[in-house]
């Protein structure tokens, strides 16, 4: 695949006069895509022992790494470069982690692995912009998926020690506190939502039954459409459960209402935040696929699941049996 892309670039160059800048970007586009595919290989390969798979690869499999600049300011905002950096640090950290880990099976959520990854980024990346973006991405990803407060505090401390982004540090503190407020058994914080008749409600007042709460934005059309289709399927299978979707956009209410109606979706059990920025922070909505589940007593059952997870319906059955 990589050879086909490179040949395509050479063919293009033979037909057209191109600038050095064009060639640099085109070649890097091919290279970083190729590198990323090789980096993710051990993680998508069948088998739970990722370290063993990594160690079984040919010795020269990752030879290109010696020529990679982990502090390339020219590509610091480039999608393929950033994707590659995330993938390579996943792999490098796995190898580093395996040297002292006593785990039989690799666990993405291992506190040890995640601390190792932050340490490795700090040791290899000197450009503050690139480093802070990587540290922020991995830290928020861990915090929003972990239910362990002690581990979250350890990850947060590691991030704060390494990051130089003061705004990021303040935001991470606030997100961590929001997650602590969303612990199992508590109610959601006081947040105002609007229905599409412009009526205001406290979010907890709209829960009448066990409820699944999802979020959407018009900025991610595929997720908007796929999540609403999935919810329609689940509503038929689990009539005892209410499914609520909340728009997070900071637009007048007519805009999301029009989007819903134009796609043939009912506006029943559809809401939008009155103050989206505050609500997103209080509910720590990251990533957008985040789903919150509350029981019949309006108490949080889980503060971060995913309706597309293969285990989600098991969670729903457990909710009904509570």
């Amino acid at each position: 695949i990589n050879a086909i892309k490179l040949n395509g670039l050479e063919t293009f160059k033979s037909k057209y006069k191109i600038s050095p800048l064009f060639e640099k970007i085109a070649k890097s586009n091919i290279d970083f895509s190729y590198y990323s595919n090789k980096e993710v290989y051990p993680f998508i390969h069948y088998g739970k022992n990722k370290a063993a798979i990594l160690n079984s690869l040919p010795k020269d499999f990752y030879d290109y790494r010696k020529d990679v600049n982990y502090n390339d300011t020219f590509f610091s905002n480039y999608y393929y470069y950033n994707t590659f950096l995330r993938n390579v640090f996943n792999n490098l950290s796995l190898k580093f982690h395996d040297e002292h880990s006593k785990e039989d099976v690799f666990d993405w959520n291992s506190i040890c692995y995640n601390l190792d990854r932050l340490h490795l980024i700090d040791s290899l990346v000197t450009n503050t912009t690139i480093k802070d973006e990587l540290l922020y991405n991995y830290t928020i990803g861990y915090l929003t998926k972990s239910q362990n407060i002690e581990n979250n505090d350890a990850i947060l401390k590691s991030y704060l020690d390494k990051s130089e982004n003061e705004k990021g540090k303040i935001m991470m503190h606030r997100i961590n506190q929001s997650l602590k407020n969303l612990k199992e058994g508590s109610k959601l914080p006081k947040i105002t939502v609007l229905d599409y008749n412009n009526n205001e409600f406290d979010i907890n007042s709209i829960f009448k039954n066990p409820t699944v709460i999802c979020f959407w934005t018009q900025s991610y059309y595929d997720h908007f459409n796929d999540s609403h289709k999935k919810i329609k399927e689940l509503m038929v299978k689990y009539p005892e459960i209410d499914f609520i979707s909340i728009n997070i956009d900071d637009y007048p209410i007519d805009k999301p209402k029009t989007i819903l109606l134009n796609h043939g979706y009912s506006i029943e059990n559809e809401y939008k935040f009155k103050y989206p920025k505050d609500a997103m922070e209080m509910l720590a909505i990251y990533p957008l696929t985040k789903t919150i589940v509350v029981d019949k007593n309006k108490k949080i059952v889980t503060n971060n699941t995913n309706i597309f997870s293969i285990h989600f319906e098991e969670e729903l059955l457990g909710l009904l049996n509570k």
Side-chain angles (χ1 to χ4, degrees):
I1 292 171
N2 190 58
I4 290 170
K5 291 180 180 180
L6 290 172
N7 288 336
L9 177 58
E10 290 303 314
T11 300
F12 189 87
K13 287 167 58 179
S14 68
K15 293 181 178 180
Y16 307 101
K17 183 178 180 180
I18 64 173
S19 69
L21 178 61
F22 177 93
E23 183 169 11
K24 178 179 181 178
I25 294 174
K27 179 67 164 54
S28 297
N29 187 40
I30 295 170
D31 287 345
F32 290 134
S33 177
Y34 170 60
Y35 299 161
S36 287
N37 287 335
K38 295 192 78 169
E39 292 294 341
V40 300
Y41 178 79
F43 292 98
I44 61 172
H45 194 288
Y46 288 104
K48 293 183 178 180
N49 194 333
K50 305 302 182 186
I53 295 167
L54 188 63
N55 291 329
S56 72
L57 297 172
K59 297 298 182 184
D60 62 350
F61 196 73
Y62 292 121
D63 269 4
Y64 57 80
R65 286 179 182 167
K66 65 181 181 293
D67 298 318
V68 171
N69 180 3
Y70 296 105
N71 299 280
D72 196 327
T73 54
F74 181 83
F75 288 112
S76 62
N77 293 315
Y78 190 49
Y79 172 80
Y80 286 105
Y81 178 67
N82 285 308
T83 300
F84 163 70
L85 287 182
R86 293 178 188 183
N87 288 328
V88 75
F89 277 109
N90 288 344
N91 256 353
L92 291 172
S93 305
L94 173 59
K95 192 168 185 63
F96 180 62
H97 172 69
D98 186 56
E99 292 174 359
H100 61 260
S101 172
K102 297 179 181 177
E103 301 165 354
D104 293 327
V105 177
F106 172 69
D107 179 10
W108 273 110
N109 298 316
S110 159
I111 181 65
C112 180
Y113 169 75
N114 281 274
L115 289 171
D116 284 342
R117 188 163 53 183
L118 296 183
H119 170 75
L120 206 60
I121 291 168
D122 188 47
S123 63
L124 291 179
V125 183
T126 55
N127 179 273
T128 54
T129 301
I130 297 173
K131 178 189 289 190
D132 284 337
E133 194 280 332
L134 287 167
L135 292 172
Y136 188 93
N137 172 73
Y138 284 125
T139 302
I140 195 171
Y142 183 87
L143 294 179
T144 54
K145 293 174 184 174
S146 171
Q147 304 291 324
N148 188 308
I149 293 176
E150 187 175 315
N151 286 352
N152 283 5
D153 286 342
I155 288 288
L156 178 62
K157 182 180 183 306
S158 179
Y159 166 79
L160 296 175
D161 288 343
K162 297 172 177 58
S163 175
E164 296 182 34
N165 185 336
E166 294 306 318
K167 287 185 178 179
K169 290 181 180 182
I170 293 170
M171 180 60 70
M172 201 66 72
H173 262 303
R174 290 161 66 172
I175 289 172
N176 193 45
Q177 186 56 52
S178 293
L179 289 165
K180 288 181 178 180
N181 295 336
L182 295 172
K183 62 181 181 295
E184 182 180 337
S186 61
K187 287 189 176 183
L188 295 185
K190 187 175 179 61
I191 293 172
T192 303
V193 294
L194 307 171
D195 69 12
Y196 286 100
N197 293 312
N198 221 20
N199 298 309
E200 292 188 9
F201 304 89
D202 173 69
I203 194 168
N204 287 290
S205 71
I206 64 178
F207 306 143
K208 310 300 181 187
N209 300 300
T211 304
V212 172
I213 308 122
C214 300
F215 309 95
W216 68 275
T217 169
Q218 68 164 0
S219 300
Y220 293 95
Y221 173 79
D222 287 343
H223 174 261
F224 154 72
N225 208 27
D226 292 344
S227 62
H228 278 79
K229 287 178 181 178
K230 184 67 175 178
I231 287 170
K232 285 180 74 173
E233 294 175 13
L234 294 170
M235 286 172 64
V236 174
K237 296 175 73 172
Y238 301 94
E240 311 95 324
I241 299 175
D242 290 338
F243 292 84
I244 287 173
S245 282
I246 303 178
N247 177 259
I248 65 172
D249 292 319
D250 194 10
Y251 296 124
I253 198 166
D254 287 344
K255 195 161 187 176
K257 181 178 182 180
T258 300
I259 293 171
L260 288 165
L261 294 177
N262 285 347
H263 284 79
Y265 297 125
S266 169
I267 58 172
E268 185 179 358
N269 286 336
E270 292 277 353
Y271 299 87
K272 79 178 300 293
F273 290 128
K274 185 174 182 180
Y275 306 108
K277 185 177 180 181
D278 293 341
M280 288 177 65
E281 183 179 314
M282 293 169 74
L283 296 179
I285 300 175
Y286 178 90
L288 188 59
T289 53
K290 171 173 177 162
T291 299
I292 298 173
V293 180
V294 299
D295 63 19
K296 60 185 178 183
N297 299 314
K298 308 181 182 183
K299 301 289 182 67
I300 297 171
V301 175
T302 175
N303 66 18
N304 190 359
T305 184
N306 187 333
I307 59 173
F308 299 106
S309 166
I310 59 173
H311 303 295
F312 185 67
E313 293 196 43
E314 294 176 21
E315 295 180 45
L316 295 185
L317 293 172
L319 176 65
L320 293 174
N321 291 328
K322 278 178 68 72

